[in-house]
Amino acid sequence: MGVKKTPLKKTTSATKPKPAAKKKGNRSFGEKVKWFFIKLMLWFFGLSIGSVIFFKYIPVPFTPLMLIRAIENKLGGKEVYFDHDWEPIDKISMNLQKAVIASEDGTFLSHNGFDFKALQKAYKSNERGRRIRGGSTISQQTAKNVFLWQGKSYFRKGLEAYFTVLIEIIWGKERIMEVYLNSIEMGDGVYGAYAATEHWYRRDASSLTPMQAAGIAAILPNPRKFKATGSSSYINRRKERIVREMRAVGKINYDGK
């Protein structure tokens, strides 16, 4: 009885077993870390740029400093006092705009966010052990007040520089000044020009005299310590200097034309 032979089947490329696809779960730890940071950076850039665009048109309702001060007062058993109302820049006295430029940032209208001469001067002053100076521009202070926290770490300063560039590009000088004058601390629990002029002078923000505007600008180094009215001799000297420098500011033209 003969043995029946079974014909051999040809193996074609179509029937060849395919190599198993690399599963997502098989990524190495290093790859997972890399993709995590890539996604984190994409989210950061998206949210940061989006928030800057958003606040170009929408009033800033509160800042991190306002929240921090409220927590500090609560923990310290003090009254949690908070006064902040948004005021359009065309209703804020031009005297106050000139006063903060004269006091805080003399080159505000011409720089691109940073005053490198002021930074160098501040660095040398601090290096000699003198009173610590910041050298920050109005743009840098605005970026810090609206988007960041207080502190002197290099990480925070790096973020401050990043947001400064963004607001200079997206907002422009007039919007930066508007947000600055509506967000900075101008007294204990007092934020912005509207609240400050009401608190210190019992009048609206559009009607400040040069000396009154200089009074508010003079206390900005430490608005919870100094007073714009009934001031110390130190603040009175600052007021007089600011008024003199306001004359040098001249007409403010935010368009730069």
Side-chain angles (χ1 to χ4, degrees):
M1 186 173 176
V3 179
K4 189 175 180 180
K5 293 183 179 180
T6 305
L8 296 174
K9 293 182 180 180
K10 291 184 179 181
T11 304
T12 63
S13 59
T15 59
K16 285 182 180 178
K18 295 182 180 180
K22 191 175 182 181
K23 294 183 179 178
K24 190 176 181 180
N26 292 336
R27 287 178 180 171
S28 67
F29 177 75
E31 287 179 318
K32 290 179 180 178
V33 171
K34 181 184 76 173
W35 280 107
F36 170 78
F37 280 106
I38 289 174
K39 290 178 181 178
L40 188 65
M41 291 303 294
L42 289 174
W43 272 103
F44 170 73
F45 286 124
L47 290 173
S48 60
I49 294 172
S51 63
V52 171
I53 293 173
F54 180 77
F55 286 126
K56 177 180 173 66
Y57 305 102
I58 304 300
V60 179
F62 65 91
T63 67
L65 180 61
M66 296 176 191
L67 179 61
I68 290 169
R69 292 288 190 240
I71 294 172
E72 287 175 350
N73 288 340
K74 186 69 175 178
L75 294 177
K78 299 178 182 178
E79 180 185 0
V80 180
Y81 177 77
F82 178 85
D83 190 3
H84 175 242
D85 291 286
W86 185 271
E87 190 82 337
I89 195 168
D90 58 1
K91 293 185 179 179
I92 297 176
S93 170
M94 188 59 70
N95 285 325
L96 184 57
Q97 297 175 51
K98 288 183 178 182
V100 294
I101 290 175
S103 173
E104 298 293 298
D105 185 3
T107 60
F108 172 68
L109 296 172
S110 59
H111 65 58
N112 293 316
F114 306 94
D115 186 343
F116 294 104
K117 288 184 179 179
L119 287 171
Q120 188 177 26
K121 189 176 179 180
Y123 174 77
K124 289 181 179 178
S125 178
N126 298 338
E127 200 174 39
R128 295 191 192 103
R130 296 178 182 174
R131 182 175 62 86
I132 294 177
R133 298 177 56 177
S136 295
T137 63
I138 285 175
S139 302
Q140 288 174 274
Q141 292 178 50
T142 305
K144 177 186 69 177
N145 288 339
V146 176
F147 299 104
L148 301 169
W149 63 95
Q150 304 296 305
K152 295 184 180 298
S153 68
Y154 288 112
F155 175 68
R156 193 202 62 75
K157 292 296 288 184
L159 289 176
E160 179 186 297
Y162 167 73
F163 277 104
T164 299
V165 172
L166 284 186
I167 64 175
E168 279 281 340
I169 294 172
I170 297 173
W171 287 2
K173 295 294 186 183
E174 185 172 29
R175 180 60 175 178
I176 291 173
M177 177 60 77
E178 183 175 45
V179 174
Y180 175 77
L181 289 176
N182 276 287
S183 62
I184 56 173
E185 190 175 33
M186 293 179 168
D188 191 7
V190 179
Y191 301 92
Y194 182 93
T197 52
E198 172 66 26
H199 177 77
W200 293 114
Y201 301 113
R202 296 292 183 263
R203 60 195 308 170
D204 62 81
S206 64
S207 59
L208 289 172
T209 66
M211 185 57 74
Q212 288 170 339
I216 292 175
I219 68 172
L220 293 184
N222 194 338
R224 294 198 297 168
K225 175 183 178 182
F226 300 126
K227 296 180 179 180
T229 57
S231 311
S232 64
S233 57
Y234 167 70
I235 293 299
N236 285 332
R237 289 194 300 271
R238 278 182 59 83
K239 289 180 188 179
E240 293 169 0
R241 179 182 61 79
I242 291 169
V243 169
R244 290 195 301 270
E245 293 182 4
M246 285 168 65
R247 301 188 188 105
V249 172
K251 183 179 179 181
I252 294 179
N253 186 352
Y254 291 112
D255 296 329
K257 296 177 181 178

